[in-house]
Amino acid sequence: MALTGRAALLAALGSLPVGIWEPSWTGILAVNAPLAVACACDFALAAPVRRLGLTRSGDTSVRLGDTADVTLTITNPSRRPLRARLRDAWPPSTWLPGTETTASRHRLTVPPGERRRVTTRLRPTRRGDRQADRVTIRSYGPLGLFSRQGTHEAPWTVRVLPPFTSRKHLPSKLARLRELDGRTSVLTRGEGTEFDSLREYVPGDDTRSIDWRATARQTTVAVRTWRPERDRHILLVLDTGRTSAGRVGDAPRLDASMDAALLLAALASRAGDRVDLLAYDRKVRALVQGRTAGDVLPSLVNAMATLEPELVETNARGLTATALRTSPRRSLIVLLTTLDTAPIEEGLLPVLSQLTQRHTVLLASVADPHITEMAKARGNVDAVYEAAAAAQAQSERHRTAEQLRRHGVTVVDATPDDLAPALADAYLALKAAGRL
């Protein structure tokens, strides 16, 4: 088998007479001259890097946890073939731990005047905009002894969206909504609901629903059926202050709040209600208003993608004033915030009456499941102390929730996995009671 490239050069050097290796200038020049010529030729035959053309295409958005493919097209305008190694650099949070080396590096060969494509598969681990960094290309000669290296700017942005893991609960909540909406045999009646139709009385029906005029015109007892009112306004308020940065499990509280808000938005838009979003700490971080039912969920997901907790204390007065300006008419205001005693008693409670006088208020908070585990701990002194601390934390949390309920606020306090369905159930309960 014929030797080529670097192996052929080394074999040729190895075939030189032994005497040539004597430490003399003649011997040194005799050995280095062929090597220098080979290196110079190899360098000259390597395709230039600066003249390469790079363009991108591919995915511009991806849900957290999914993969996105970004294609890089390399055009070689020179007369020499490009034999290269390429590194497509992205921020560390674009890759799963330990996968960056294999995912971002490519080998390619581009004949003169042609183009080739390489695809980088991204799997982001954080929400937000991920922007491509520089593309580094190392072009080798045919022997692989020398190379040219350069970098190119090839801008591209991939927006990493919230995962919306609570979507799995939507079918069951929609089934419950259809029952409230009178689309099945189970019909409800409540103050403020809309008249739907008449049907024959069935034992167990509320006698207050009997329509006596319609009954007089026919031989059977007629009952009025009702459906929840449509076109109600719902304002989702995300607290992005310091308390939302606390991690529960593997994610900050803000992520669990956003997931619950998305499920409620999807459910409410199917119910015919209008949904807006306000993210606030000491200033407005995101505001989504006036979207149609088909556009509201994509708009919310896009707005939430870049939200991050701010390490500042939330201005409760500013939040209340902004919510009132955003919702001039009677609405359901859903506050996704903390149930910690200090922020509620010192911040929210003094201004809460401004909201409850005009609006129905629902507060949803992320509970830490580790506190529940600590409260059950027994067996040694440390475990007993942990259980006592957890019981005290739970007691303060329950006391704060009761204070809010006495002000007419509906409170939902649940772990990250349970918060979204619990918030949806609270919304359906308010709708069934005619409070929207």
Side-chain angles (χ1 to χ4, degrees), residues 70-380:
V70 178
T71 300
L72 189 65
T73 302
I74 301 96
T75 304
N76 179 17
S78 70
R79 297 181 180 179
R80 284 165 277 179
L82 173 68
R83 308 172 186 88
R85 292 182 180 179
L86 178 149
R87 179 176 182 263
D88 190 4
W90 289 77
S93 60
T94 309
W95 323 94
L96 289 175
T99 64
E100 188 270 342
T101 301
T102 56
S104 64
R105 287 167 170 78
H106 307 274
R107 289 178 179 266
L108 73 156
T109 300
V110 185
E114 296 187 16
R115 65 184 63 180
R116 293 291 184 271
R117 294 182 177 88
V118 295
T119 299
T120 301
R121 176 155 291 182
L122 314 176
R123 189 164 185 180
T125 57
R126 291 182 58 187
R127 289 181 295 100
D129 290 339
R130 298 292 171 263
Q131 297 179 347
D133 203 345
R134 296 172 297 177
V135 178
T136 303
I137 301 176
R138 182 174 293 176
S139 172
Y140 291 91
L143 299 178
L145 297 173
F146 261 72
S147 64
R148 305 169 185 261
Q149 181 169 309
T151 59
H152 287 262
E153 298 290 338
W156 193 259
T157 301
V158 175
R159 173 158 289 189
V160 186
L161 307 174
F164 193 11
T165 55
S166 62
R167 183 190 295 269
K168 60 187 177 183
H169 299 289
L170 187 57
S172 62
K173 305 307 175 187
L174 288 175
R176 173 60 179 154
L177 178 64
R178 284 192 293 269
E179 293 179 358
L180 296 179
D181 206 21
R183 297 178 188 172
T184 68
S185 59
V186 181
L187 296 169
T188 62
R189 182 184 188 277
E191 182 182 356
T193 56
E194 295 178 345
F195 173 75
D196 181 62
S197 61
L198 293 171
R199 63 171 174 82
E200 185 177 348
Y201 175 82
V202 176
D205 284 340
D206 190 345
T207 56
R208 293 175 296 177
S209 298
I210 297 175
D211 189 319
W212 296 107
R213 291 186 178 181
T215 300
R217 294 193 298 267
Q218 58 188 33
T219 58
T220 58
V221 178
V223 178
R224 294 186 295 268
T225 59
W226 308 80
R227 62 182 177 186
E229 295 182 4
R230 290 178 172 270
D231 199 29
R232 302 297 90 186
H233 179 241
I234 299 173
L235 176 63
L236 303 173
V237 182
L238 283 173
D239 180 359
T240 55
R242 65 167 183 84
T243 56
S244 67
R247 300 187 73 84
V248 178
D250 295 330
R253 282 184 166 90
L254 180 61
D255 285 28
S257 297
M258 290 193 298
D259 192 53
L262 289 175
L263 179 63
L264 179 56
L267 181 62
S269 62
R270 297 285 188 92
D273 294 335
R274 295 174 291 112
V275 181
D276 292 340
L277 170 72
L278 169 66
Y280 191 94
D281 42 72
R282 289 192 175 181
K283 66 179 183 180
V284 177
R285 301 292 176 179
L287 182 62
V288 178
Q289 287 182 290
R291 296 298 192 272
T292 61
D295 188 48
V296 64
L297 198 60
S299 298
L300 294 185
V301 169
N302 193 57
M304 291 177 181
T306 57
L307 287 178
E308 294 293 344
E310 301 293 330
L311 299 182
V312 296
E313 196 71 37
T314 299
N315 182 354
R317 292 187 181 276
L319 184 149
T320 301
T322 306
L324 291 173
R325 287 196 303 269
T326 307
S327 303
R329 297 182 180 179
R330 182 169 182 80
S331 308
L332 170 63
I333 295 183
V334 181
L335 296 175
L336 292 123
T337 184
T338 181
L339 262 180
D340 293 346
T341 302
I344 294 294
E345 293 185 349
E346 299 174 11
L348 184 60
L349 281 178
V351 296
L352 187 59
S353 59
Q354 300 177 30
L355 292 176
T356 55
Q357 285 176 359
R358 188 186 306 176
H359 304 289
T360 301
V361 179
L362 193 162
L363 187 145
S365 181
V366 182
D368 190 347
H370 184 59
I371 300 296
T372 305
E373 296 175 3
M374 288 175 57
K376 299 177 181 178
R378 299 291 187 275
N380 54 52

Side-chain angles (χ1 to χ4, degrees), residues 7-25:
L9 179 62
L10 294 176
L13 292 175
S15 65
L16 294 175
V18 175
I20 204 169
W21 297 99
E22 296 177 359
S24 64
W25 284 108

